[in-house]
Amino acid sequence: MKLALLLVSIDPSIGGVMVFGDRGTGKSTAVRALAGLLPPMKVVTGCLYGCDPAASGSWCDACRAKYKDGHAPKAHASPVPMVDLPLGATEDRLVGALDLERALTSGEKAFEPGLLARAHRGFLYVDEVNLLEDHLVDLLLDAAATGENVVEREGVSVRHPARFVLVGSGNPEEGELRPQLLDRFGLAVDVRTPESIALRIDVIKRRDAFDRDPTTFLAHWAKVDAKVRRSLEKARARLDTVSVPDAVLERAATLCSQLGTDGLRGELTLLRTSRALAAFEGDDVVTTEHVRRIAAMALRHRLRRNVLDDADSTTRVERAVSDLWGATKDVA
Ligand SMILES: [Zn+2]
């Protein structure tokens, strides 16, 4: 899960992360910790949506109108947002509320931004996404895919940028996820309660230390955090220069074809995720080894059910990888 989160924050175009697994395994803590690690972002002062002063192409209508003469907006630094979507949230809470009466009588748009606006340029975490109402899930996925939120009420419409990394969690035993929903997450990972006694003890000790004295705990880990932050910044800067040889793409496509994934989202995700991994590790060229390491998280949720094969999806991906590339030497 940590690797998946790091990779999508290096290249958000990979898409969101779906986390399967048990409750109480620190999923939301991990997302919150990652948002805290990321360097603060510059936002246009006074903008309701936290527009990026350097990206005028993606500004909201208000920023566009205000700075159309070309003078640079005032900006300040702000932490990367990490927004929790509670299960009982209403549609208005998610997309924002439009006060029609005020809009019609005074002519001004009376729009109260929702959680999608707050998550812009950050993370939106949805615990138990499989229990969320279908129409809310659709709204979420539409916004995540288009990078904007459109609210329309009786002829009045408001649109604003909403580019965020969607992180969903869910326990498949408590409600099936629609396949068309799953396919729209870039990566999928499994988080299980640790079986190793030593690891369990380590986790509860750290948790207890944090609860007793958060300041000392954070100071103790500050160096490690700073190191991860630097690696992330370097990886983002390097991403555009990492090349992907055709031979590696061919292997990615062969793997998807072997597994029978629908459409081409599988290949695209393999390409982007392995490139982000190479950037993260300081490599200039993507190799089969990079693809191999992220194959399960990029493909496991895109497999069709196979009645003749009751192995879980991670095992099926890993088996296909080793069948195809087990004994072959790297092509790049
Ligand atoms: Zn704006």
Side-chain angles (χ1 to χ4, degrees):
M1 177 182 179
K2 276 159 67 180
L3 181 63
L5 289 175
L6 289 169
L7 297 177
V8 295
S9 45
I10 292 167
D11 182 1
S13 76
I14 292 169
V17 179
M18 178 65 208
V19 185
F20 294 107
D22 303 333
R23 232 176 266 130
T25 43
K27 298 187 292 276
S28 68
T29 308
V31 182
R32 202 160 284 125
L34 174 74
L37 262 186
L38 297 172
M41 52 188 209
K42 280 213 167 122
V43 303
V44 173
T45 304
C47 169
L48 282 177
Y49 310 105
C51 285
D52 179 355
S56 55
S58 66
W59 280 354
C60 69
D61 291 345
C63 284
R64 260 179 235 270
K66 207 165 161 191
Y67 305 106
K68 63 172 183 278
D69 58 355
H71 78 265
K74 234 190 209 168
H76 64 277
S78 175
V80 172
M82 145 74 193
V83 175
D84 262 307
L85 175 65
L87 254 191
T90 59
E91 183 174 331
D92 276 1
R93 180 95 193 276
L94 179 64
V95 302
L98 190 54
D99 183 344
L100 268 181
E101 202 175 323
R102 207 172 128 199
L104 295 174
T105 51
S106 66
E108 66 183 85
K109 278 181 186 172
F111 181 63
E112 180 82 40
L115 296 173
L116 288 181
R118 272 183 47 209
H120 181 46
R121 302 172 66 200
F123 296 82
L124 185 66
Y125 180 69
V126 192
D127 197 15
E128 307 196 75
V129 66
N130 45 336
L131 303 182
L132 202 65
E133 287 171 52
D134 282 357
H135 76 280
L136 290 183
V137 176
D138 288 331
L139 286 169
L140 262 183
L141 291 168
D142 283 343
T146 58
E148 68 172 10
N149 175 38
V150 183
V151 184
E152 274 167 338
R153 298 274 188 282
E154 308 181 29
V156 182
S157 103
V158 176
R159 71 175 57 220
H160 67 79
R163 242 175 283 275
F164 55 89
V165 172
L166 182 62
V167 182
S169 84
N171 188 340
E173 286 154 25
E174 291 170 3
E176 279 279 331
L177 276 152
R178 288 179 291 152
Q180 65 270 39
L181 185 161
L182 258 186
D183 185 51
R184 291 172 72 176
F185 282 91
L187 306 176
V189 293
D190 236 335
V191 173
R192 295 261 164 259
T193 308
E195 281 169 13
S196 141
I197 298 295
L199 185 56
R200 293 173 89 118
I201 291 173
D202 208 21
V203 173
I204 54 172
K205 268 188 176 166
R206 283 193 198 174
R207 175 71 212 210
D208 186 51
F210 172 79
D211 287 339
R212 288 161 64 110
D213 185 356
T215 314
T216 308
F217 184 89
L218 293 177
H220 177 76
W221 290 97
K223 261 191 184 163
V224 182
D225 281 355
K227 206 173 150 201
V228 180
R229 185 182 301 121
R230 276 196 303 275
S231 313
L232 274 175
E233 284 176 326
K234 275 193 197 155
R236 284 174 165 181
R238 172 188 280 272
L239 187 67
D240 285 341
T241 65
V242 175
S243 67
V244 189
D246 280 352
V248 170
L249 274 186
E250 195 185 319
R251 289 197 158 175
T254 312
L255 175 64
C256 292
S257 144
Q258 178 95 357
L259 285 164
T261 54
D262 287 329
L264 297 173
R265 264 193 202 136
E267 280 95 325
L268 203 54
T269 310
L270 284 177
L271 161 70
R272 288 173 176 162
T273 314
S274 56
R275 186 167 52 202
L277 178 62
F280 187 54
E281 298 191 334
D283 297 321
D284 296 320
V285 181
V286 174
T287 65
T288 310
E289 199 46 39
H290 293 121
V291 181
R292 183 199 299 267
R293 280 164 52 201
I294 53 83
M297 66 169 81
L299 298 179
R300 47 169 298 179
H301 52 305
R302 305 176 201 279
L303 306 187
R304 272 182 235 152
R305 214 165 265 164
N306 183 344
V307 284
L308 299 173
D309 190 348
D310 60 1
D312 69 71
S313 47
T314 303
T315 309
R316 281 169 63 196
V317 175
E318 281 168 356
R319 204 168 50 202
V321 165
S322 80
D323 285 352
L324 284 172
W325 309 328
T328 49
K329 281 195 74 178
D330 222 323
V331 286

